[in-house]
Amino acid sequence: MAQQDVLKLAEVSSDDTQGARALPSNVEAEAAFLGALLIDNRVLEELQTQLGPQHFFEPVHARIFERIVTLLDRKAVVTPVTLRPYFEADEQLKALGGVSYLARLTADGQGLLAPRELADQIYDLALLRELITVGRTLVEGAMDTSEAVEPQQQIEQAEAALYKVAEGAASANEAKSFAQATHTAIFNIEKAFNSGGNISGKTTGLESVNSKIGGLHDSDLIILAGRPGMGKTSLVTNIAFNTSQRYVDDMALGIEPRRSVGAPTAFFSLEMSADQLATRILAEQSGISSEALRMGKISREDFQQLSFASQRLAELPLYIDDTPGLSIAALRTRARRLKRRYNIGLIIIDYLQLLSGSGRANDNRVNEISEISRGLKTLAKELEVPVIALSQLSRAVESREDKKPMLSDLRESGSIEQDADMVWFVFREDYYVNATEPKFPAEGDPPDVVDKWEAWRQRMEQVTGLAELIVAKQRHGSTGRVRLKFEARITKFSDLDADDPRGGFVSD
C-alpha cells in the first residue's frame, strides 16, 4: 500500500482520538497483513495467534478484518471485489478514496513475505495498548483516598484485568455479535453430536447424570447440597477424577483439548487436607476401603494393587488446594493462576460456607454468603469454566417426615439458589432407614416385634447402596431425580447396572 494512503488514514481518525496517537500501533503492518489475507485467504488458517477485529488499531481495518472472517466462515472466497458491496457506504473508507482502497491493499503483496510475524506484531501491540489502559485505571484508582475506597477490592480488580490481558482477552468486556454467539453455540452442538455420549460440556463420568444435564457447561455455577453423611464430597471427588482422567484419555487419542469432554480440574478443599482427598481417590480406584488404608490393614496383594493405582493417578491433571480459611477474593486469585498455568476446565469448592467474604457485610452472614455466591458465579463466567460448589443444608430436613431436601433448605441465603445455574441435592434413604432400626427380635418376643424388624430389613434391602441425585434447578433443562449406585466401603458413586430395576431418571 502506498505511503500516502497510510498517512491519509491517520488523518481520518476523529479529533477525540488525537491523544491516543502515542499508543503503540503499526498501521502499515495492519494494512500489509490485510493485503496478504485478501491475496491468499489461507493465511488466516495458518495463524497461531488468535487475532480478532479488536486487535486492530484503526477502526476501518478492524471492520475489514471482521467482514473477511465472516465471509470465510461462510466458505466464500474473499477478494477486494467480493468485499466491495459491504463497504460502498463506509464513510471512513470514502475519505480514503472509497472501495478502491481495498484493491490498493493488495497492490504490492509485501505482507505475503511474513504474514505470521505481522499478525503477531498486531496482536502484541494490542496487548500493550490494553496494558496501558489497565495501568492508567490502576493509577487513577490508587490516587483516590476517599473513605469509600477499598484497596483489597482494587487489587483484585487490577489482577482480574491483568489476567485478561495475559490471556489475550483485551476485548473481554465488549459485546459479542450474534454471529459470534451462534458460532460458539454450533460448536457446542457439534461437540455433543460427536462425543458419543451426547455431552456438550465436561463429563461427570456418570452416564445417567450426563444424559440428564448434557455435562458440565462452561460459565455455569452448580450448587451441590446435602445433609452430613449423604456423600457430597465423595460425589465431587468422583467427578473430579472422572473429568481429569477423561482428559488424559482424550489427549492419548490425539483429540485436541478444546474438543475434549474432559478437563484439568482444580479442587479447593477447605475442609479436608490434600492427602485425605488423595486417600479417597486411591480407595476408589484400588477398590480398598478408606478405613483400611488409613489404618494400614491391607495385605501384600492390596499394597501391590494400591501401587498400580497410584502410578495411574500420578499423571492425573488434578490440582488440590487445601489452604484453610480462604476468602472469595483469594480463591479467585488462585483459580486464575491455575487457569493460566494448567488451563483448568473445572473448579470444585468444598465447601461454600467455609469461604469468607470481603468483610464488608458488617457481620451479616446472609449478606456475606450472597457475596460469596455472586463471586463464584462471576468466577465461572470470567474463566469460562463450570464451578461446582458444595453447600450445607439447614436442619429443617431432619424435622420433616419426608427427608428429601428442597430448594428452601439451602442454608443461610436465598441468593445461592438465585445465582446457581443448577442446584443438585444428594439423598441416600438408607442413611435414614438405618437409623430407625427396631428392636432385634429375641425368643419369646410377640409377633409384632418380629414383623416390625422384618419390614425394616426388607426396606433396608431395597434402599441399601442406592443414592439419588436430585436436580432441583436447571436453568437450561428439566428437573428430576437420577438414581445412582453408592458403594459406602470405598465411598464411590457410579451408574446402576442396566438390569437394576431401581435405575433410571425420574421426572418431577
Side-chain angles (χ1 to χ4, degrees):
M1 188 176 72
Q3 180 68 24
Q4 56 267 32
D5 285 330
V6 177
L7 296 175
K8 190 174 183 181
L9 184 60
E11 295 171 358
V12 171
S13 300
S14 58
D15 293 338
D16 60 355
T17 62
Q18 292 304 311
R21 291 297 98 187
L23 289 175
S25 63
N26 188 339
V27 178
E28 287 184 310
E30 293 178 3
F33 174 76
L34 289 174
L37 189 53
L38 287 171
I39 294 171
D40 184 358
N41 295 168
R42 293 173 297 179
V43 165
L44 194 62
E45 299 174 3
E46 298 170 358
L47 292 184
Q48 296 179 343
T49 304
Q50 295 295 319
L51 199 64
Q54 70 276 12
H55 297 119
F56 288 81
F57 182 73
E58 289 297 340
V60 68
H61 286 165
R63 292 196 296 277
I64 292 172
F65 181 79
E66 184 176 21
R67 179 54 59 182
I68 291 173
V69 171
T70 301
L71 292 175
L72 288 177
D73 281 344
R74 299 175 186 171
K75 309 299 182 184
V77 176
V78 186
T79 67
V81 175
T82 57
L83 276 182
R84 182 186 182 99
Y86 301 100
F87 289 93
E88 288 180 338
D90 192 293
E91 293 299 327
Q92 191 171 5
L93 205 60
K94 285 181 180 178
L96 294 171
V99 290
S100 61
Y101 177 76
L102 299 173
R104 293 202 299 275
L105 287 172
T106 63
D108 52 25
Q110 289 185 3
L112 287 173
L113 299 176
R116 291 186 182 179
E117 288 74 8
L118 289 173
D120 289 343
Q121 187 181 91
I122 293 168
Y123 182 85
D124 290 343
L125 290 173
L127 293 188
L128 288 175
R129 291 195 297 273
E130 187 66 16
L131 191 59
I132 289 171
T133 302
V134 171
R136 285 175 178 170
T137 304
L138 181 60
V139 170
E140 289 172 2
M143 294 294 288
D144 186 354
T145 58
S146 62
E147 292 184 3
V149 173
E150 296 169 358
Q152 286 296 333
Q153 185 180 16
Q154 287 191 358
I155 291 171
E156 186 189 354
Q157 289 172 348
E159 186 176 46
L162 287 171
Y163 168 78
K164 290 176 182 176
V165 175
E167 293 297 300
S171 63
N173 293 326
E174 291 184 3
K176 289 184 177 179
S177 70
F178 188 72
Q180 291 173 304
T182 302
H183 185 273
T184 302
I186 292 296
F187 175 82
N188 289 333
I189 294 168
E190 179 190 6
K191 184 177 175 182
F193 179 77
N194 294 329
S195 68
N198 300 319
I199 309 169
S200 58
K202 309 294 190 304
T203 182
T204 63
L206 301 166
E207 291 185 11
S208 53
V209 177
N210 286 339
S211 64
K212 173 59 188 165
I213 65 172
L216 307 168
H217 298 91
D218 292 343
S219 302
D220 272 5
L221 172 61
I222 301 114
I223 298 295
L224 173 60
R227 290 294 294 158
M230 290 294 107
K232 301 186 297 296
T233 301
S234 298
L235 179 57
V236 290
T237 303
N238 295 163
I239 291 173
F241 170 81
N242 294 337
T243 306
S244 51
Q245 183 62 57
R246 178 60 182 265
Y247 181 80
V248 172
D249 295 342
D250 284 351
M251 294 307 99
L253 292 172
I255 298 174
E256 57 180 306
R258 73 190 190 106
R259 294 186 181 277
S260 172
V261 295
T265 301
F267 197 120
F268 290 91
S269 179
L270 285 79
E271 187 174 36
M272 298 172 59
S273 65
D275 61 294
Q276 288 174 321
L277 276 175
T279 301
R280 280 197 176 211
I281 295 176
L282 279 170
E284 295 160 10
Q285 298 310 308
S286 64
I288 305 170
S289 74
S290 300
E291 183 180 359
L293 291 179
R294 286 194 302 270
M295 300 177 69
K297 294 181 177 180
I298 56 176
S299 65
R300 192 173 296 276
E301 291 76 15
D302 287 340
F303 191 83
Q304 187 176 23
Q305 193 172 351
L306 190 65
S307 178
F308 289 149
S310 65
Q311 290 175 17
R312 292 198 309 271
L313 298 174
E315 302 300 322
L316 205 64
L318 175 56
Y319 308 97
I320 301 172
D321 188 328
D322 60 357
T323 307
L326 281 177
S327 66
I328 182 63
L331 184 141
R332 289 168 66 174
T333 296
R334 290 165 182 262
R336 290 187 196 106
R337 289 174 187 165
L338 288 169
K339 175 71 172 178
R340 188 166 59 247
R341 292 177 185 174
Y342 306 114
N343 194 31
I344 58 172
L346 171 64
I347 296 174
I348 296 173
I349 298 111
D350 183 14
Y351 56 92
L352 184 150
Q353 279 81 6
L354 287 178
L355 288 169
S356 60
S358 62
R360 302 191 302 270
N362 298 322
D363 297 324
N364 188 321
R365 184 59 175 165
V366 172
N367 290 343
E368 186 177 30
I369 292 295
S370 299
E371 177 191 350
I372 292 168
S373 65
R374 285 195 301 270
L376 293 177
K377 176 57 183 176
T378 301
L379 177 65
K381 290 192 68 176
E382 178 186 342
L383 301 189
E384 295 184 340
V385 300
V387 172
I388 303 177
L390 274 61
S391 178
Q392 291 180 334
L393 288 180
S394 70
R395 293 178 180 173
V397 176
E398 310 294 339
S399 61
R400 295 198 303 261
E401 184 176 348
D402 183 359
K403 308 296 185 185
K404 289 184 179 178
M406 303 180 293
L407 288 171
S408 58
D409 295 322
L410 286 170
R411 186 171 173 181
E412 294 176 311
S413 177
S415 67
I416 296 177
E417 175 190 348
Q418 178 181 328
D419 294 327
D421 296 281
M422 281 191 277
V423 178
W424 300 346
F425 295 120
V426 184
F427 177 71
R428 287 172 44 223
E429 191 173 356
D430 61 355
Y431 179 89
Y432 293 106
V433 174
N434 187 54
T436 62
E437 180 180 3
K439 177 183 179 295
F440 186 80
E443 187 177 351
D445 282 340
D448 64 317
V449 174
V450 178
D451 293 342
K452 283 182 180 178
W453 192 88
E454 180 60 24
W456 173 86
R457 186 197 64 77
Q458 291 179 9
R459 183 58 184 159
M460 194 66 189
E461 190 176 283
Q462 291 174 350
V463 298
T464 296
L466 184 66
E468 284 188 345
L469 181 67
I470 302 171
V471 182
K473 176 185 177 182
Q474 185 175 188
R475 203 181 295 277
H476 307 297
S478 60
T479 60
R481 291 172 284 148
V482 179
R483 294 195 177 109
L484 300 169
K485 180 181 179 182
F486 179 69
E487 300 173 69
R489 188 177 67 89
I490 56 174
T491 61
K492 183 176 182 179
F493 286 84
S494 56
D495 292 299
L496 285 165
D497 297 333
D499 57 352
D500 192 323
R502 302 176 302 175
F505 173 74
V506 180
S507 182
D508 286 341

